[in-house]
Amino acid sequence: MAQNKPKYKNVLLIRFSAIGDVAMTVPVIHSVAQAYPDVHFTVLSNQRFAPFYSGTPGNVSFMGVDLKKDYHGFGAMLKLFLKLRKCHFDAVADLHGVLRTTALSIFFRLAFKKVRRIDKDRRSRKRITRQHNKDLSQRLTSFERYQIVLEKLGFSFELRFCSIFGQGKGDLSAISFMGPKECPWIGIAPFAAHKGKIYPLYLMEEVVAQIDSSYLCRQFVFAYGKERILVEEWAKKYRSVELIDTRLGMSGELILMSHMDVMLAMDSSNMHLASLTGTPVVSIWGATHPAAGFLGWGQKPEDCMQTDLPCRPCSIYGKKECIYGDYRCLTGIDPDTVFSKVKTYL
């Protein structure tokens, strides 16, 4: 229930990238839209993220843009602002906080519109990754930071969200080749954007092998492009392994994930996609740490597989090279421990 009468009726919410960060806006936007059914919220983001918002309340619209194609180069944000101005927004929530969205915010302020911007608290995050005396106290989650932006616009609400499919699951009939679910389904997402977040494939294969020998199940391994080549042998060696690539599309992947009994993923976009469907995730953390605030929606801290090392975490996003060169934060995670955790959901 809304706690106050809103000052604004037509609100623009901006978050362009990355995929995990965009996914983390969904529970917040869903919650505020439910609390304020008479307010219209428009999400401005990359066009390919539209499926994330398919289950949001009717007072939420999605506006997709292609920044590389249509709004690239000098003056691009002014061009986009002139398009957005025609929608007569009376308030703007910048959930991204980068140069592009700052430019848009300035244009809206010059047009006398109310604008509030996310505080990423970068200084505090540096204390997590400093070499000595690391401060691993839990930071605000991205969900809480997004909520604060909207609260600054006068919206008071609780975060309440289950899945983009509501209380149910996605429609499996939309994936013609998938067939009915007749055994446990396990998702395996072994890749991430940076090496510091990827569990070594030889160790991940040990987990896959243990699942294959212990259960009559289906293991769906998410691998795209060059990544697929690295795990193709798994499908030949293990009867339960099936490779999932881009042919499903974002909508199909979300439907499939909603039917998983558990997802095994890195600190990556797939962790967040599975979280949006209400699926439990066993996540593996190396260079990064859940204390930075990027754990998936509804996921349990005890399902985060990680090692305690003086050097860890060394990065917020996992981009840094390992100072030792061996990524011991990942190689030190025992496959048996990972398998045991996955087992609890089967």
Side-chain angles (χ1 to χ4, degrees):
M1 293 294 291
Q3 300 298 312
N4 59 334
K5 188 175 180 179
K7 294 180 181 178
Y8 309 106
K9 292 291 186 180
N10 190 19
V11 182
L12 177 66
L13 312 168
I14 308 172
R15 178 77 217 200
F16 290 129
S17 64
I19 185 169
D21 295 301
V22 176
M24 294 176 85
T25 68
V26 175
V28 181
I29 293 171
H30 188 281
S31 300
V32 72
Q34 275 195 322
Y36 292 89
D38 296 329
V39 178
H40 191 84
F41 298 92
T42 300
V43 181
L44 177 67
S45 189
N46 189 303
Q47 179 60 49
R48 68 192 184 104
F49 299 143
F52 295 171
Y53 303 94
S54 59
T56 49
N59 56 327
V60 176
S61 298
F62 181 82
M63 183 182 295
V65 294
D66 187 334
L67 293 180
K68 292 183 179 179
K69 179 182 177 183
D70 300 322
Y71 298 99
H72 179 70
F74 182 77
M77 289 303 100
L78 177 58
K79 175 185 173 183
L80 180 55
F81 166 72
L82 294 175
K83 176 183 177 180
L84 295 170
R85 187 171 63 174
K86 298 175 183 178
C87 299
H88 305 290
F89 297 111
D90 50 17
V92 177
D94 177 1
L95 305 179
H96 200 164
V98 293
L99 283 175
R100 283 172 169 163
T101 59
T102 298
L104 280 177
S105 297
I106 290 171
F107 293 139
F108 275 108
R109 284 193 174 107
L110 291 173
F112 304 102
K113 304 301 180 184
K114 192 73 169 182
V115 178
R116 288 293 178 262
R117 191 167 182 260
I118 190 170
D119 177 7
K120 295 183 178 180
D121 195 18
R122 289 186 175 93
R123 183 176 297 179
S124 173
R125 286 177 178 172
K126 286 181 180 179
R127 296 199 298 271
I128 296 179
T129 58
R130 63 192 176 192
Q131 191 169 359
H132 303 290
N133 263 340
K134 294 181 185 294
D135 175 9
L136 294 181
S137 58
Q138 180 65 50
R139 294 338 189 243
L140 291 175
T141 66
S142 290
F143 309 108
E144 292 168 325
R145 294 188 190 280
Y146 295 150
Q147 183 181 19
I148 288 170
V149 178
L150 289 163
E151 287 177 342
K152 288 178 179 178
L153 288 174
F155 298 103
S156 176
F157 61 101
E158 294 181 13
L159 293 177
R160 294 177 179 175
F161 175 78
C162 177
S163 162
I164 59 172
F165 300 111
Q167 298 296 322
K169 306 286 185 183
D171 182 10
L172 264 184
S173 65
I175 310 175
S176 57
F177 61 88
M178 195 56 60
K181 182 177 180 181
E182 298 174 336
C183 60
W185 285 10
I186 302 139
I188 308 288
F191 297 102
H194 306 291
K195 187 175 180 179
K197 301 202 293 186
I198 300 175
Y199 194 46
L201 290 181
Y202 71 92
L203 295 176
M204 181 61 85
E205 184 177 355
E206 288 188 36
V207 180
V208 169
Q210 288 194 59
I211 295 172
D212 183 78
S213 63
S214 302
Y215 293 94
L216 181 62
C217 64
R218 296 174 76 178
Q219 295 188 76
F220 298 98
V221 179
F222 291 77
Y224 317 101
K226 294 179 181 179
E227 296 172 349
R228 182 185 175 92
I229 299 172
L230 299 175
V231 295
E232 279 182 340
E233 285 299 313
W234 294 3
K236 298 174 183 177
K237 291 169 66 175
Y238 308 108
R239 57 181 171 73
S240 63
V241 169
E242 302 174 40
L243 300 184
I244 298 296
D245 54 25
T246 54
R247 59 182 168 155
L248 277 184
M250 190 77 75
S251 296
E253 286 187 19
L254 290 166
I255 290 171
L256 177 59
M257 287 179 183
S258 73
H259 290 269
M260 301 288 186
D261 292 277
V262 62
M263 187 85 169
L264 174 58
M266 308 301 101
D267 168 21
S268 66
S269 59
N270 279 308
M271 171 183 69
H272 292 290
L273 297 189
S275 299
L276 291 187
T277 68
T279 294
V281 180
V282 173
S283 53
I284 295 177
W285 300 71
T288 59
H289 197 286
F294 298 109
L295 184 59
W297 174 259
Q299 302 303 333
K300 301 175 183 177
E302 58 264 32
D303 286 343
C304 298
M305 303 287 97
Q306 51 188 332
T307 54
D308 292 325
L309 295 172
C311 60
R312 180 180 173 270
C314 63
S315 172
I316 292 295
Y317 303 110
K319 293 181 181 180
K320 290 185 179 179
E321 292 289 327
C322 175
I323 60 173
Y324 301 109
D326 58 7
Y327 292 93
R328 58 191 63 178
C329 57
L330 289 160
T331 58
I333 300 174
D334 186 357
D336 292 341
T337 304
V338 178
F339 172 63
S340 295
K341 181 59 71 172
V342 170
K343 234 177 17 174
T344 63
Y345 289 101
L346 303 178

